Amino acid sequence: MVKYYCCADMLKSSWDQVCVAFWQRYPNPYSNHVLTEDIIFREVNPTNCLVSRRLLTKTSRAPRWMEPYLPKQMSSSAYIIEDSIVDPQKRTMTTLTWNISHARLMSVEERCKYYINPENGSCTEIKREAWISTTVYGLSRAIQEFGLRRFKNSVTKTMKGFEYVLAKMQGETPSRTLTETATERARETALAAKEKAKDLASQAQKKQYV
């Protein structure tokens, strides 16, 4: 049994910029789970398309109920194969990724197509498809639902990472930096207020006993 998922996203950058950002997207603040990336091979085929294959190593914390089924040394990491084809004539980039670790427990295959937005040439559309499957009898639905939740969360991080890298490429201040700064200041203010409240409460208690 295979669970299918499909979604569409858009980046407000040209197709050329997105293709460049694709190869430069690691590291970024949203990709802490990506440990390594290695090019297995890369070539320009007879039709002038750039064909690449990469091996990615990512952290992949399994839920506690799944850990007993995994080798101890593999329960927190996973190896991913990423194939890509960049067609400069059709102005498309197609990627296919799949996990080679824990594939018997759960296999996640993703296909993405990047192409120019037909209504706005300065934007790039992304059609994303995913197939999630498992061979574990009796737990297939739970594993697939877990895989889908994790996949959706990964897509959110991927898009934010793309936007971050594109902003840096274009000389803009990444929104992540602005957001983090505001969040950090809010936390500091809240912490200071909390400490001040504790001091006032402590002083009030002391006065009661004087």
Side-chain angles (χ1 to χ4, degrees), residues 14-82:
S14 68
W15 180 83
D16 297 86
Q17 291 172 326
V18 170
C19 286
V20 173
F22 178 81
W23 302 113
Q24 300 181 8
R25 69 190 192 279
Y26 302 131
N28 69 69
Y30 298 94
S31 67
N32 295 328
H33 62 294
V34 180
L35 303 177
T36 63
E37 53 175 334
D38 298 284
I39 297 174
I40 299 176
F41 71 80
R42 178 171 290 169
E43 64 180 11
V44 177
N45 67 13
T47 60
N48 204 34
C49 293
L50 177 65
V51 181
S52 304
R53 170 167 287 186
R54 299 198 298 174
L55 174 66
L56 307 176
T57 307
K58 301 182 179 182
T59 59
S60 180
R61 183 66 180 180
R64 291 183 178 179
W65 56 266
M66 191 183 291
E67 288 182 354
Y69 300 96
L70 296 173
K72 187 176 181 180
Q73 70 275 16
M74 295 178 61
S75 61
S76 60
S77 64
Y79 295 103
I80 313 294
I81 294 292
E82 174 195 86

Side-chain angles (χ1 to χ4, degrees), residues 8 10 24 26 45 60 71 82-83 88-89 99 101 105 110 114 121-123 127 142 156 159 163 167 193 206:
M10 184 177 72
Q24 300 181 8
Y26 302 131
N45 67 13
S60 180
E82 174 195 86
D83 284 352
Q89 295 180 343
N99 60 299
S101 299
L105 284 175
E110 178 191 36
Y114 301 75
S122 62
C123 295
K127 180 183 178 182
T156 300
M159 294 302 297
E163 291 167 354
K206 288 180 179 178

Side-chain angles (χ1 to χ4, degrees), residues 120-184:
N120 186 344
S122 62
C123 295
T124 303
E125 291 282 340
I126 306 173
K127 180 183 178 182
R128 193 184 311 272
E129 297 176 282
W131 295 264
I132 304 169
S133 60
T134 179
T135 59
V136 179
Y137 180 77
L139 294 174
S140 60
R141 184 171 182 178
I143 292 174
Q144 287 177 332
E145 290 298 329
F146 165 77
L148 181 58
R149 288 194 302 271
R150 174 166 286 185
F151 178 80
K152 289 180 178 180
N153 183 56
S154 177
V155 169
T156 300
K157 291 182 179 179
T158 297
M159 294 302 297
K160 289 182 177 180
F162 248 126
E163 291 167 354
Y164 179 92
V165 173
L166 285 164
K168 288 191 68 177
M169 285 173 50
Q170 296 164 16
E172 301 174 0
T173 302
S175 58
R176 165 85 174 188
T177 302
L178 298 175
T179 302
E180 281 188 331
T181 300
T183 302
E184 188 63 28

Side-chain angles (χ1 to χ4, degrees), residues 80-122:
I80 313 294
I81 294 292
E82 174 195 86
D83 284 352
S84 62
I85 301 177
V86 181
D87 190 330
Q89 295 180 343
K90 295 181 180 179
R91 312 283 281 178
T92 62
M93 177 171 65
T94 304
T95 65
L96 181 64
T97 60
W98 68 95
N99 60 299
I100 56 176
S101 299
H102 327 319
R104 290 186 178 182
L105 284 175
M106 182 174 68
S107 173
V108 181
E109 184 176 319
E110 178 191 36
R111 183 180 185 274
C112 296
K113 184 177 181 180
Y114 301 75
Y115 57 96
I116 299 173
N117 184 303
E119 298 179 359
N120 186 344
S122 62

